């Protein structure tokens, strides 16, 4: 290529470069002017927007600028303020707030202008002429690399005086200074197509780190600024805490936690309709407010935190706290309240119908497992279904209802009629209902009918349903022979069996059945008096009467008391008990008695003869003699040494029937003698013997001065005698006893005065 053409081409390139640089210079100055808030050609609306940036734009925190190792953006511009801006100093510059959205838009504009530049170069190449001279370097040339809108830090981040000037072209002044330096350095050496392309690549890559640095600063500043604030639209425990400071959010959560802690945790056994409440705080349940928001506040570089501030935090789960001991104790107490034993269902008779009453299942709560559920559900779940074992009672509601239905439809549905040999009886449903109860027997329901009461009511209304029993008895004929009458049983309604009979009859179509009866035992049965044993007189004894009528009358009265006295096998006969009471009302009168050896009168005089006669009858029957005592003097009407007197219980006649047969005594006065017979079955053979009288003493005279003294002549001698009894059974001796007694002489009584 000729020298002229080359010069023309270079001149064309210079003109294009000057136009491009001029356009870039004007754009940068216009943007810088708007960013500082200075007067510019921008419209009033644009200036207002610059003074009141959108709320999405963020100011860089002061602490970030203060501790940054990099010089502040705009430091170079501050030191190179132009005369047209006399008040522009680093401390007085306006803060330019740049949003992330604006930075992204600036990057897009840079790419677009790069495309326009390429088109302009092609146009310049086509229009160049060889006559154009080579352009001289323009001292006003500026950096041709498209510079996007650059943020100027807020006054809080203004550079310190000691900070070095920044090499970053953050303002138009910085960019212009750098362009002048580059122009002075001989950028005109870039000639030809190869040099132009190298300049283009350098200018394009210079914008990338600037954008990255700006965006990084904005990101860090935003995170720092928002670190003390909960993301918007954040909720926990039903409380909105979005946009609140950390302290306010903690207070709000604590307030909600206190309300939740005061509310009850309810343990339920839903199937049984049972529940128990306990305050959550008492159960050791709480909320850790700080832990709940620890991922929402405080400085972090995690992008999701910033995203939460943009989109909203939404619901966050509170962090629970649990005092294990308090929880276990509270749940154990609640379990104890829920635990219960099973209660059987029951049936009650109301009117003439059965009414079922429901029972209760048993509940046994597993306190440990239930506490685990409470722990896992807190705080979102405050009503917890307790882990419990539920068991039905032995008598279920279904069984009770079935039993009640049967009562109403069968037993109590109407009257029943029962029949017996003595007649018929009608039992009404009202009678049954009034005298019946439903009981539990071995885990089942049972009807308990009071048959005894119903039976008594039936007999009262119809006496023919019962016949009276007859007691066993015996009488003695005029010839003193025994005539025995055996006992007979009576018949009455069997109350013990009546309930079952009523129930059975109610289940028949005719509602009828048999009336149960039972025997009525007599007061005295044949066995009671041993009628079968009274076959013969096994022993008998009699003694002569005296000529004293009153004494004889006392003996007749005593004989009537002894007659018919039964002494069963093994029983004891007690004469005093048989004769008592010995009073005038019983027919006894005063007669001769011996008191301290003196003959006098006393009530029941002569009864010693009954004592002697009954004693000898028992003596010869072979019975065991328990008590007797002879008189102090001997009366010839009694066997010597084998007789007895009586004086209350001190001196008495008692003997025991030691045979296997019952016995009955008969006594009567006849032929001037007192008789006592014992009727029974022969068992013993008895023999007796008496010794000779020894130690014989003649009677004397005794003087008595008492007022009731009765004189008498001398009686029998005094002496000593021994009687022996041998008792045999089936030829074998079973008893061999002897008794010795000494009588005093029967002195004559002489009544004297006490003065004698």
């Amino acid at each position: 290529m000729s020298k002229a053409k080359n010069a023309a081409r270079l001149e064309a390139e210079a003109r294009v470069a000057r136009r491009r640089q001029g356009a870039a210079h004007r754009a940068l100055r216009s943007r810088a002017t708007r960013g500082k808030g200075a007067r510019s050609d921008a419209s009033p609306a644009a200036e207002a927007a610059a003074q009141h940036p959108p709320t999405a734009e963020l100011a860089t925190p002061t602490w970030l600028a203060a501790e940054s190792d990099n010089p502040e953006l705009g430091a170079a511009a501050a030191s190179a303020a132009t005369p047209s801006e006399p008040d522009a100093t680093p401390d007085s510059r306006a803060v330019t707030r740049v949003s992330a959205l604006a930075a992204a838009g600036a990057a897009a504009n840079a790419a677009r202008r790069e495309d326009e530049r390429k088109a302009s170069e092609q146009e310049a190449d086509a229009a160049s002429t060889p006559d154009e001279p080579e352009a001289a370097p323009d001292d006003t040339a500026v950096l041709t690399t498209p510079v996007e809108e650059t943020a100027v830090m807020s006054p809080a981040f203004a550079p310190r005086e000691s900070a070095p000037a920044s090499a970053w072209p953050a303002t138009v002044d910085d960019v212009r200074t750098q362009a002048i330096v580059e122009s002075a350095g001989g950028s005109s050496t870039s000639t030809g197509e190869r040099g132009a392309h190298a300049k283009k690549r350098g200018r394009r890559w210079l914008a990338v780190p600037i954008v990255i640095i700006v965006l990084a600063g904005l990101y860090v500043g935003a995170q720092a600024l928002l670190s003390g604030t909960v993301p918007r639209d954040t909720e926990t425990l039903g409380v909105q805490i979005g946009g609140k400071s950390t302290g306010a959010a903690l207070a709000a959560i604590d307030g909600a936690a206190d309300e939740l802690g005061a509310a009850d945790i309810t343990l339920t056994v839903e199937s049984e309709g049972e529940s128990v409440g306990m305050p959550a705080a008492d159960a050791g349940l709480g909320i850790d407010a700080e832990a709940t928001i620890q991922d929402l506040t405080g400085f972090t570089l995690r992008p999701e935190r910033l995203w939460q501030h943009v989109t909203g935090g939404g619901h966050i789960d509170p962090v629970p706290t649990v005092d294990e001991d308090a929880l276990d104790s509270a749940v154990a107490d609640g379990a104890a309240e829920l635990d219960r034993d099973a209660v059987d269902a029951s049936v009650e008779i109301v009117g003439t119908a059965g009414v079922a009453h429901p029972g209760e299942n048993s509940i046994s709560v597993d306190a440990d497992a239930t506490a685990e559920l409470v722990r896992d559900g807190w705080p979102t779940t405050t009503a917890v279904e307790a882990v419990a074992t539920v068991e039905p009672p032995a008598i279920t509601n279904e069984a009770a209802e079935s039993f009640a239905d049967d009562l109403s439809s069968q037993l109590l549905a109407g009257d029943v009629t029962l029949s017996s040999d003595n007649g018929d009886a009608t039992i009404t449903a009202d009678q049954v209902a009034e005298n019946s109860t439903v009981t539990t027997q071995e885990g089942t329901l049972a009807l308990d009918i009071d048959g005894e009461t119903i039976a008594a009511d039936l007999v009262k209304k119809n006496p023919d349903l019962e016949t009276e029993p007859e007691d066993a008895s015996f009488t003695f004929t005029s010839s003193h022979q025994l005539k025995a009458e055996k006992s007979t049983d009576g018949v009455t309604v069997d109350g013990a069996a009546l309930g079952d009979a009523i129930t059975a009859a109610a289940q028949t179509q005719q509602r009828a059945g048999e009336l149960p009866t039972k025997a009525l035992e007599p007061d005295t049965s044949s066995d009671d008096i041993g009628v079968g044993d009274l076959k013969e007189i096994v022993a008998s004894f009699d003694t002569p009467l005296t000529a004293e009528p009153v004494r004889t009358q006392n003996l007749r009265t005593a004989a009537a008391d002894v007659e018919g006295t039964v002494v069963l096998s093994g029983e004891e006969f007690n004469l005093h008990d048989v004769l008592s009471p010995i009073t005038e009302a019983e027919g006894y009168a005063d007669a001769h008695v011996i008191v301290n050896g003196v003959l006098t009168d006393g009530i029941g005089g002569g009864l010693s003869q009954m004592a002697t006669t009954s004693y000898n009858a028992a003596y010869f029957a072979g019975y065991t003699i328990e008590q007797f005592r002879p008189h102090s003097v001997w009366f010839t009407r009694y066997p010597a040494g084998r007789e007895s007197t009586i004086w209350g219980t001190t001196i008495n006649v008692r003997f025991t029937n030691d045979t296997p047969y019952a016995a009955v005594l008969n006594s009567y006065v006849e032929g001037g003698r007192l008789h006592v017979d014992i009727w029974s079955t022969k068992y013993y053979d008895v023999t007796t013997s008496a010794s000779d009288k020894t130690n014989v003493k003649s009677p004397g005279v005794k003087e008595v001065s008492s007022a009731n003294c009765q004189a008498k002549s001398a009686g029998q001698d005094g002496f000593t005698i021994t009687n022996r009894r041998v008792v045999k059974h089936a030829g074998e001796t079973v008893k061999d006893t002897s008794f010795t007694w000494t009588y005093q002489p029967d002195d004559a009584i002489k009544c004297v005065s006490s003065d004698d």
Side-chain angles (χ1 to χ4, degrees):
M1 180 180 297
S2 65
K3 185 176 181 181
K5 289 183 178 181
N6 186 48
R9 184 183 63 79
L10 292 176
E11 179 63 24
E13 289 179 356
R15 286 196 302 270
V16 171
R18 284 193 297 272
R19 287 195 301 271
R20 188 181 301 118
Q21 291 171 356
H25 175 75
R26 288 190 300 273
L28 287 174
R29 177 169 291 279
S30 175
R31 291 173 187 171
T33 302
R34 288 197 303 272
K36 293 186 293 181
R39 181 176 179 180
S40 67
D41 295 334
S43 65
E47 291 182 359
Q51 294 174 3
H52 303 284
T55 57
E57 294 178 353
L58 305 174
T60 305
T62 58
W63 58 266
L64 183 62
E67 296 184 5
S68 174
D69 292 335
N70 296 320
E72 312 302 284
L73 290 176
S79 60
T82 62
S84 61
E85 297 173 342
D87 297 332
T89 66
D91 294 333
S92 62
R93 285 191 172 189
V95 177
T96 301
R97 299 180 180 269
V98 182
S99 69
L101 185 61
N109 290 335
R112 178 176 54 79
R113 283 191 294 272
E114 177 64 18
D115 293 336
E116 292 176 354
R117 184 188 60 78
K118 291 179 180 180
S120 299
E121 287 180 351
Q122 292 175 359
E123 179 184 355
D125 289 340
S128 61
T129 59
D131 296 332
E132 291 178 348
E134 186 175 353
D138 189 351
D139 59 355
T140 61
V142 296
L143 182 64
T144 60
T145 302
V147 179
E148 299 304 319
E149 183 175 348
T150 305
V152 178
M153 301 304 270
S154 65
F157 288 83
R160 293 182 295 269
E161 293 180 358
S162 60
S166 174
W168 299 346
T171 65
V172 173
D173 296 334
D174 295 335
V175 173
R176 183 174 60 184
T177 303
Q178 181 178 348
I180 294 172
V181 172
E182 289 179 353
S183 297
S187 60
S188 61
T189 57
S190 297
T191 60
E193 187 177 353
R194 181 181 301 175
H197 287 175
K199 284 184 179 182
K200 295 173 185 177
R201 285 195 300 270
R203 289 192 296 269
R204 183 167 59 247
W205 284 108
L206 183 60
V208 174
I210 294 174
V211 172
I212 292 175
I213 291 171
V214 170
L215 292 178
L218 292 174
Y219 179 81
V220 172
Q223 290 282 31
L225 180 64
L226 299 175
S227 62
T229 305
V230 178
R232 68 184 183 86
D233 296 335
T234 301
E235 171 272 330
T236 186
L237 295 177
V239 177
Q240 288 291 336
I241 59 174
K244 294 181 180 293
S245 66
T246 301
L250 290 174
I253 295 173
D254 286 338
D258 290 343
E259 292 181 6
L260 192 60
D264 279 351
I265 294 292
T266 304
L267 303 182
T268 62
V269 181
E270 186 174 356
S271 63
E272 299 304 303
E274 297 291 339
S275 64
V276 62
M278 52 187 176
D282 293 349
L285 302 175
I287 300 297
D288 188 339
E290 293 184 359
T292 299
I293 63 170
Q294 69 177 357
D295 289 338
L296 300 178
T297 59
F299 181 76
T300 180
L301 293 178
R302 290 180 296 145
E304 58 268 25
R305 171 75 66 77
L306 194 59
W307 183 249
Q308 286 178 318
H309 281 279
V310 175
T311 62
H315 172 78
I316 60 170
D317 292 330
V319 176
T321 62
V322 178
D323 183 331
E324 298 293 342
D325 291 340
L327 176 61
D328 291 343
S329 176
V331 173
D333 291 343
E337 291 188 40
L338 291 174
D339 285 348
R340 71 185 184 197
D341 294 330
V343 177
D344 289 333
S346 61
V347 174
E348 179 186 11
I349 296 176
V350 179
T352 56
V355 178
H357 298 290
E360 290 183 343
N361 296 332
S362 67
I363 300 175
S364 178
V365 176
D366 185 337
D368 292 339
T370 302
E372 187 67 25
L373 291 180
V374 174
R375 183 184 300 106
D376 293 344
W378 172 255
T380 58
T381 302
T382 57
V384 177
E385 177 71 12
V387 179
T389 300
V390 178
E391 295 290 343
I395 300 176
T396 63
N397 295 341
E398 293 77 9
E401 291 171 358
S402 176
F403 192 89
D405 290 342
D406 290 343
L407 285 180
S408 301
S409 62
Q410 292 184 7
L411 182 65
L412 303 177
D415 300 343
V416 295
T417 301
L418 303 179
S419 303
S420 70
D421 293 339
N422 291 343
D424 298 336
T426 299
I427 299 98
T428 66
D430 287 333
Q431 279 182 293
V432 177
E434 291 172 0
N435 295 282
S436 300
T437 56
V438 179
T439 61
T440 301
Q441 298 178 0
E442 298 180 355
T444 60
L445 292 171
L447 182 66
D448 184 7
I449 300 177
D450 185 0
E452 298 291 350
T453 301
I454 296 176
D457 189 50
L458 293 177
V459 172
K460 182 178 180 180
K461 292 178 179 178
N462 185 4
D464 292 339
L465 295 175
E466 181 178 277
T467 57
E468 293 292 336
E470 293 183 1
D471 292 338
S473 64
F474 48 80
T475 59
F476 293 96
T477 66
S478 59
S479 60
H480 311 298
Q481 296 300 305
L482 179 66
K483 181 181 179 180
E485 296 289 344
K486 292 185 178 181
S487 62
T488 58
D489 292 338
V491 176
T492 190
V493 178
D494 186 358
L498 185 58
D500 292 339
I502 294 172
T503 302
Q507 295 175 352
T508 65
Q509 185 175 0
Q510 297 79 15
R511 298 186 68 82
E514 182 180 353
L515 180 66
T517 60
K518 67 176 181 179
L520 276 179
E521 296 182 355
D523 294 335
T524 303
S525 67
S526 297
D527 294 337
D528 290 341
I529 62 174
V531 171
D533 297 337
L534 308 179
K535 298 176 181 179
E536 59 182 324
I537 297 175
V538 296
S540 179
F541 199 76
D542 59 89
T543 54
L545 301 175
T546 66
E548 188 179 357
V550 175
R551 185 175 184 276
T552 299
Q553 180 57 42
N554 286 340
L555 290 175
R556 290 184 187 277
T557 301
D561 288 339
V562 172
E563 180 185 346
T565 300
V566 175
V567 184
L568 298 177
S569 174
E571 289 187 350
E572 181 183 276
F573 173 86
N574 186 313
L575 181 60
H576 177 269
D577 291 346
V578 172
L579 300 181
S580 294
I582 303 174
T583 62
E584 291 183 3
E586 289 295 317
Y588 293 101
D590 288 340
H592 286 162
V593 295
I594 297 176
V595 180
N596 296 324
V598 178
L599 183 64
T600 185
D601 289 335
I603 189 74
L607 292 183
S608 61
Q609 186 169 347
M610 176 59 75
T612 295
T613 307
S614 59
Y615 162 73
N616 276 276
Y619 183 91
F620 287 104
Y623 296 151
T624 299
I625 306 301
E626 305 292 350
Q627 183 181 8
F628 82 103
R629 186 174 184 274
H631 289 83
S632 58
V633 296
W634 180 49
F635 296 99
T636 58
R637 59 182 178 271
Y638 303 142
R642 206 181 70 236
E643 48 87 14
S644 180
T645 185
I646 184 171
W647 185 260
T649 58
T650 303
I651 303 175
N652 193 11
V653 173
R654 295 185 299 113
F655 60 83
T656 299
N657 176 7
D658 55 0
T659 72
Y661 305 109
V664 62
L665 277 67
N666 184 31
S667 182
Y668 52 93
V669 174
E670 185 180 70
R673 302 183 73 84
L674 174 64
H675 297 265
V676 173
D677 299 334
I678 298 178
W679 289 77
S680 185
T681 297
K682 186 70 174 178
Y683 189 74
Y684 290 127
D685 293 317
V686 179
T687 59
T688 186
S689 61
S691 68
D692 294 335
K693 297 177 182 177
T694 62
N695 193 27
V696 178
K697 294 182 179 180
S698 298
V701 177
K702 179 182 294 186
E703 294 182 348
V704 178
S705 60
S706 61
N708 61 346
C709 175
Q710 294 185 18
K712 77 175 188 65
S713 59
Q716 301 299 315
D717 294 338
F719 58 88
T720 299
I721 191 170
T722 298
N723 285 277
R724 180 186 179 194
R725 185 182 69 159
V726 177
V727 179
K728 294 183 179 181
H729 171 66
E732 297 291 333
T733 299
V734 294
K735 299 174 185 177
D736 187 349
T737 59
S738 296
F739 179 76
T740 299
W741 184 253
T742 298
Y743 289 106
Q744 300 298 319
D746 187 9
D747 295 330
I749 301 298
K750 179 182 179 181
C751 296
V752 298
S753 171
S754 58
D755 296 334
D756 296 340

